[in-house]
Amino acid sequence: MTAKPDPSSFDLTSVDWKVSKYSGGGGNCVRVAAQDGYVLIGDSQNPDRPPHVYTPGEAKAWLLGVKDGEFDFLLDL
């Protein structure tokens, strides 16, 4: 298994971050991008922090779980 790259190794200056329309513009949402074949997830309130790095397979597993309602318990936090 190949190790994922260190988050600080990405050039984030040209990343096209996406933020959910449900964030309300108040910075209370994560931001997501794809770069160099990886999925980056960053903190929209702390954009200078390095993002978490996931493989496409990891991101797909999470998204399919969300669509199936596996993580709905988080909505009650």
Side-chain angles (χ1 to χ4, degrees):
M1 176 183 227
T2 304
K4 290 184 273 189
D6 185 287
S8 63
S9 69
F10 288 93
D11 177 10
L12 303 177
T13 57
S14 62
V15 172
D16 184 21
W17 293 104
K18 303 294 183 200
V19 178
S20 171
K21 65 181 178 182
Y22 295 101
S23 71
N28 60 346
C29 195
V30 297
R31 57 191 193 155
V32 180
Q35 188 179 55
D36 299 333
Y38 291 95
V39 176
L40 309 178
I41 299 180
D43 182 348
S44 63
Q45 289 184 347
N46 297 289
D48 293 332
R49 288 187 183 167
H52 295 279
V53 178
Y54 298 95
T55 66
E58 290 170 325
K60 182 178 180 179
W62 165 257
L63 289 171
L64 291 173
V66 169
K67 287 182 176 187
D68 282 348
E70 294 178 22
F71 305 104
D72 285 356
F73 68 93
L74 294 172
L75 297 173
D76 295 327
L77 296 177

